[in-house]
Amino acid sequence: MWYKEIVFYEIYLPSFQDSSGNGIGDLKGIINKLDYLSDLGIGGIWITPFYKSPKVDGGYDVEDYYKIDEEYGCMDDFDKLINEAHKRGIKVIVDLVLNHTSDKHKWFVESRKSLANPYRDYYIWNKKIPNNWESFFTGTSWEYDNQTDEYYYHAFSKEQVCLNWSNPKVKKEMFKVISFWLNKKIDGIRFDVINFLKVNMGLFKYDNTQNENKEQEHIYDMNQDGILNTIKEIVSFTKKWDNIFLLGEIGSEDLSTLNKYIGDDLLDAVLNFNIGSINKIETYKLAEILKETNKAIDYPTLFFTSHDTSRYISRLCDNNHDLAKVLAGLMLFAKGIPFIYQGDEIGMTDYISKSLYDIKDIRALTKYDVLYKLNKNEELSLKLVNNTNRDKSRTPMQWDRDKKNYGFSVGTPWIGNEGNSIDVEHQISDKSSMFSFYKSLIKLRNSNLVMQYGDYVSIINHQDVITIIREHNGEQLLCIMNLGNTQNKSINKEGVLLFSSLKIGSNNVEPYEFSIYHLQ
Ligand code: TEU
């Protein structure tokens, strides 16, 4: 399958490239940068939602599934983007949010009008709060609506209203949406929080439990009985189109849960949060994670950063470029589908919000609100919120580091450029840069069947070094990666050197060495 042969790149649309000068990334901006992506060797892009939206949650709050948000462009721009991407051999996957709509969506505007409204059952309403379920953005998941004196359910912000997937009409509407976009010649879909679909109203009577830290365990509000059947129906519907790649965001780090959603009649791949969510590099554990993932999942996804996390260079590498290269190497060598997040390839680092007024992420804002009500301490609330603030990775790509650094809301600049003032031109031209490292390794992967299809022969860890051997059709590659800053003498390197991040003069493994050998 083609998706095993390429490297993907995630575009967080509002922060990628602004072609119109309003401070917000747009579709034309992506077209402008297709040559850049092609030069990097990218074979597929995942674009975060571009549908008409109030953008309370960066577009994950859709107001109209059939329209392009005006700030992002128009349908012509979208068609042109697909065309131009395909001309360069770049596949395009779009992000579909089937779990919830914006509260501005016409279905919800209708639904809240009266108990008898034909759209009432598109959403989940209750006379009284039926359970203790909490929103994934903190606080209650039930919002009171005085128009009908009832509560509606929202797993995320109160502006993102959960659809009632036990209602066949909702399913039908969504099949229409899916066919509309597949007819536009997209190559795949990333299904947002697809295991959250509320398919089973019978479960709403049960309370979720708490763990020992008194945090809610999301037992009944995700992975509901019946969800696999619903996903099978969606998948089977998409089979009318050829060669479509279906990627699911399954909100879980548990390998057996993730694996449940993959299969011939299910999704092709899921986002592997068991790898993507790690927050500390311990070489031994990392090697174990690779082994366990390989046991559970045939072809996983590989990423360390997304628009929902901090940047791996800050979180895992303390902004050390040498280590960041080794981890990028791991992501591009290990078995799976690599997803590079915009900006990681030029070494962008985390942005830290300076005050409440500097926060744009709705999840962080909601959390701040809840915390501040409890502790009445601005500094403490900000500190706690900044642990998981998604703004960290959402600052604009540094195409022009001298330009005022706007975020994705018009007129509200991010404060300062801290850690993000990067010279892209220099990254592109300097042979020892982060960009050049990514580029040469992607080039190797793009032409190497062992890196695309090979199975693991071994994954061995010794001190800070991991060695991996992969094999395909009798051909073997050995990858040596040193995640530490000390020399290691214990590994014998044999074979033809295919890739090296360092000038290797001896048989020792050098600090932060990343090299690949073709075994004879
Ligand atoms: O993310 C889902 C999300 O917020 C996860 O953090 C989830 O709560 C977790 O995996 C549960 O274990 C998606 C989008 O990527 C994100 O940007 C949106 O805010 C969210 O859905 C709502 O649409």
Side-chain angles (χ1 to χ4, degrees), residues 86-247:
H86 287 170
K87 269 192 210 161
R88 291 164 179 80
I90 296 177
K91 308 271 188 188
V92 181
I93 66 172
V94 308
D95 207 325
L96 258 191
V97 191
L98 302 182
N99 179 67
H100 45 267
T101 71
S102 159
D103 60 348
K104 303 284 181 298
H105 194 290
K106 65 171 190 247
W107 302 336
F108 190 68
V109 173
E110 284 299 315
S111 183
R112 74 197 314 181
K113 280 184 183 163
S114 75
L115 299 179
N117 190 284
Y119 289 92
R120 187 67 176 179
D121 285 343
Y122 272 46
Y123 298 88
I124 300 151
W125 292 97
N126 262 288
K127 185 92 205 118
K128 291 215 166 70
I129 297 179
N131 57 37
N132 69 348
W133 298 4
E134 283 172 11
S135 148
F136 288 82
F137 286 177
T138 61
T140 176
S141 60
W142 294 98
E143 182 70 14
Y144 178 70
D145 192 51
N146 61 12
Q147 292 182 67
T148 53
D149 187 27
E150 285 200 350
Y151 295 82
Y152 68 83
Y153 176 75
H154 60 92
F156 298 94
S157 77
K158 62 180 181 345
E159 294 85 359
Q160 293 164 294
V161 193
C162 281
L163 286 158
N164 172 7
W165 270 82
S166 71
N167 180 351
K169 286 186 192 152
V170 167
K171 222 185 291 177
K172 220 170 143 197
E173 294 274 15
M174 285 311 188
F175 282 0
K176 252 174 70 190
V177 170
I178 292 171
S179 64
F180 178 84
W181 291 102
L182 285 176
N183 283 339
K184 291 232 156 248
K185 306 225 171 0
I186 57 169
D187 303 287
I189 301 174
R190 180 246 188 209
F191 290 112
D192 190 57
V193 288
I194 196 69
N195 61 325
F196 285 49
L197 300 189
K198 299 299 170 301
V199 292
N200 193 329
M201 292 303 124
L203 297 171
F204 275 79
K205 57 179 177 285
Y206 298 111
D207 275 345
N208 278 329
T209 51
Q210 274 189 347
N211 66 17
E212 63 272 16
N213 302 325
K214 299 233 180 309
E215 290 154 352
Q216 180 151 115
E217 294 180 308
H218 290 276
I219 308 285
Y220 298 105
D221 49 354
M222 53 201 275
N223 307 312
Q224 294 190 329
D225 295 342
I227 182 74
L228 289 179
N229 279 338
T230 302
I231 296 181
K232 279 180 190 168
E233 286 176 59
I234 298 173
V235 170
S236 136
F237 180 75
T238 65
K239 298 283 181 210
K240 287 188 209 153
W241 289 262
D242 285 336
N243 282 325
I244 297 300
F245 172 46
L246 300 181
L247 171 70

Side-chain angles (χ1 to χ4, degrees), residues 6-12 16 36-37 40-46 271 301-307 311-312 327-329 331-332 337-347 397 434-435 437-439 441-443 445:
I6 62 173
V7 174
F8 278 93
Y9 186 93
E10 183 195 345
I11 293 179
Y12 188 67
F16 187 61
Y36 167 88
L37 295 171
L40 180 58
I42 296 303
I45 51 178
W46 149 27
L271 288 166
T301 55
L302 301 158
F303 64 97
F304 292 117
T305 309
S306 79
H307 68 289
R311 288 188 178 275
Y312 85 97
L327 288 180
M331 182 173 86
L332 292 162
I337 313 166
F339 278 88
I340 297 170
Y341 178 68
Q342 67 183 41
D344 275 1
E345 80 283 13
I346 53 171
M397 270 292 281
M434 187 71 86
F435 181 89
F437 178 89
Y438 271 90
K439 180 176 164 176
L441 196 49
I442 296 171
K443 191 171 173 203
R445 191 190 187 277

